[in-house]
Amino acid sequence: MLKFTKQSDPEIAALVGEELNRQEHNIEMIASESTAPLEVMELSGSVFTNKTLEGYPGRRFQAGSEIADKVERLAWERAKELFGAEHVNIQSYSGSTANYSVFASVLNPGDKILAMRLDQGGHLTHGSPANWVSKIYNHVFYGVDKETERIDYDALDKLAKEEKPKMIIAGASSYPRLIDYERIAKTAEEVGAYFMVDMAHIAGLVAAKVIPSPIPYADFVTSSTTKTFCSARSGMVFCKEKYAKILDKGTFPGSLGSLMFHTMAAKTWSFKYAASQEFHDIMQQVVVNAQKLAEELAGYGFRIVSGGTDNHLLVVDLRGKGITGTVFQDALDAVGITVNKNMIPFDPEKPSVTSGVRIGLTSVTQRGLKEPEIVEIASIMNQVAEAPTDEANLAACKERAEALISKFPLYPAGAFED
Ligand code: DSN
């Protein structure tokens, strides 16, 4: 690995080695993470990084695009087939820019967007005051029902009828349940709003047909490609054919510049891989593992937000254990289990503290962990929660975590040897 960098810059090469070592020895459970297959790593580092291109196949602004054009066209065909979509644009650099390109395509400054509250599962780019979109558009927010902790569709519908937004956004960063796209699409149609779904977190599960797809219901579906989709750090947007031209124009030149063809090549590979039985089986096991972890943690007295999960993640309310999200996140980090603190719905704590953690199962499932290992992880987590500042306890938990994960290599042996 890094044959040339090791010679010219041992310092940065060493940091890459350290990060590989960290990932190899840690139980990575950040819900927005996955492990990029080696092919994604190869293609992301390929000579396509040298090519500057703008525009679309047959309509480029720079010469020398013949081969890149073939890549983009191949990606379109594979992506449309995989997701059953009428149109795709794969030029986004990330999930965030995928969202921006849809906004640039169909919205005007001052337009109203109805989206999910950030503190109940939504995303920064859907209208957080901290994100620049809040300076351009007006945002109103829906959330979850206090009892069920699931989206309150009646309240969403009522709000949409009062506020008459130009766009309704569904999709979230920490929502463990299926979303009723058909129902929100009906509301959007009734109020004359565009319906956009940000499926960044669940794109892999959707591609593998393990959970329902938003594509038949939404005008636009955006996504990053790193999370459950397990591909390059990049993005994509799907839409109905009737919006194809406007989306492409809103993407380039509307909101993006020259293309990142190295990650487009990697995504092209992933559109093929995601149709495989192997990928399907991994995605199915991701959900099984998430449900198993929820069940086991509940058995130890942790409260699982909404009572469980239908996807790759769970949100755990720690108040019953008398600890905050920050304390649990840091204690787990000390034993080699990586999660993030997370607001629970109607959280009494500040975002910098939180009452919960969000746990994702994608990376560990890719490494081959199944139910018996998930039972062990839940047991370690419980032991950590019982004495999160006791160094002897954390040392014992670290030993258990290392013993578990060392049996499941992150990458095949020798993958990064020169
Ligand atoms: N939205 C952030 C997350 O879910 O972790 C990054 O994608």
Side-chain angles (χ1 to χ4, degrees), residues 8 21 164 297 334 377 381:
S8 59
N21 191 52
K164 302 212 170 7
L297 289 176
I377 288 176
M381 285 180 164

Side-chain angles (χ1 to χ4, degrees), residues 115-316:
M116 190 161 182
R117 288 170 56 156
L118 178 66
D119 62 353
Q120 295 189 359
H123 190 255
L124 277 171
T125 55
H126 299 179
S128 158
N131 190 278
W132 69 275
V133 296
S134 66
K135 296 184 185 149
I136 309 291
Y137 310 110
N138 289 314
H139 292 89
V140 278
F141 296 98
Y142 63 88
V144 298
D145 175 82
K146 206 163 186 170
E147 292 304 312
T148 64
E149 296 175 310
R150 296 176 189 230
I151 292 172
D152 186 339
Y153 294 97
D154 289 337
L156 187 164
D157 188 70
K158 187 164 174 278
L159 197 56
K161 284 172 182 158
E162 284 162 11
E163 298 283 351
K164 302 212 170 7
K166 184 92 177 277
M167 175 177 281
I168 300 179
I169 304 178
S173 286
S174 58
Y175 186 66
R177 293 302 187 175
L178 300 179
I179 294 175
D180 189 342
Y181 304 118
E182 191 173 2
R183 186 155 179 198
I184 304 178
K186 185 168 173 284
T187 298
E189 195 181 355
E190 282 171 13
V191 302
Y194 293 107
F195 180 32
M196 180 182 116
V197 175
D198 178 343
M199 67 166 178
H201 264 265
I202 54 165
L205 303 173
V206 170
K209 300 181 176 52
V210 165
I211 64 170
S213 171
I215 290 200
Y217 304 105
D219 297 308
F220 299 92
V221 176
T222 63
S223 188
S224 56
T225 49
T226 36
K227 300 177 173 90
T228 49
F229 196 61
C230 306
S231 187
R233 293 219 154 254
S234 194
M236 56 188 171
V237 186
F238 299 89
C239 70
K240 303 280 183 226
E241 188 58 41
K242 64 181 173 181
Y243 300 122
K245 279 204 177 109
I246 200 169
L247 172 68
D248 287 348
K249 204 166 150 214
T251 304
F252 180 85
S255 55
L256 301 183
S258 61
L259 300 171
M260 299 204 185
F261 250 96
H262 54 312
T263 55
M264 284 166 68
K267 283 184 284 187
T268 307
W269 178 87
S270 297
F271 292 134
K272 181 176 180 197
Y273 174 61
S276 68
Q277 187 65 40
E278 177 181 303
F279 187 74
H280 171 270
D281 294 348
I282 293 171
M283 289 297 113
Q284 199 163 50
Q285 188 66 39
V286 165
V287 179
V288 169
N289 283 350
Q291 290 173 343
K292 185 70 187 166
L293 185 60
E295 183 191 316
E296 288 293 309
L297 289 176
Y300 286 116
F302 289 89
R303 194 184 77 82
I304 309 301
V305 167
S306 84
T309 178
D310 301 319
N311 59 27
H312 63 302
L313 67 83
L314 50 148
V315 179
V316 184

Side-chain angles (χ1 to χ4, degrees), residues 343-399:
M343 299 291 272
I344 58 167
F346 308 98
D347 202 323
E349 295 285 356
K350 292 183 295 192
S352 56
V353 178
T354 81
S355 299
V357 287
R358 182 186 68 163
I359 309 176
L361 280 293
T362 311
S363 292
V364 293
T365 308
Q366 286 177 285
R367 289 177 82 153
L369 276 69
K370 292 200 163 75
E371 291 93 317
E373 292 80 30
I374 300 303
V375 168
E376 172 68 356
I377 288 176
S379 167
I380 299 171
M381 285 180 164
N382 184 52
Q383 191 179 335
V384 170
E386 280 180 353
T389 53
D390 177 333
E391 284 187 14
N393 181 48
L394 296 185
C397 291
K398 189 172 173 60
E399 220 168 280

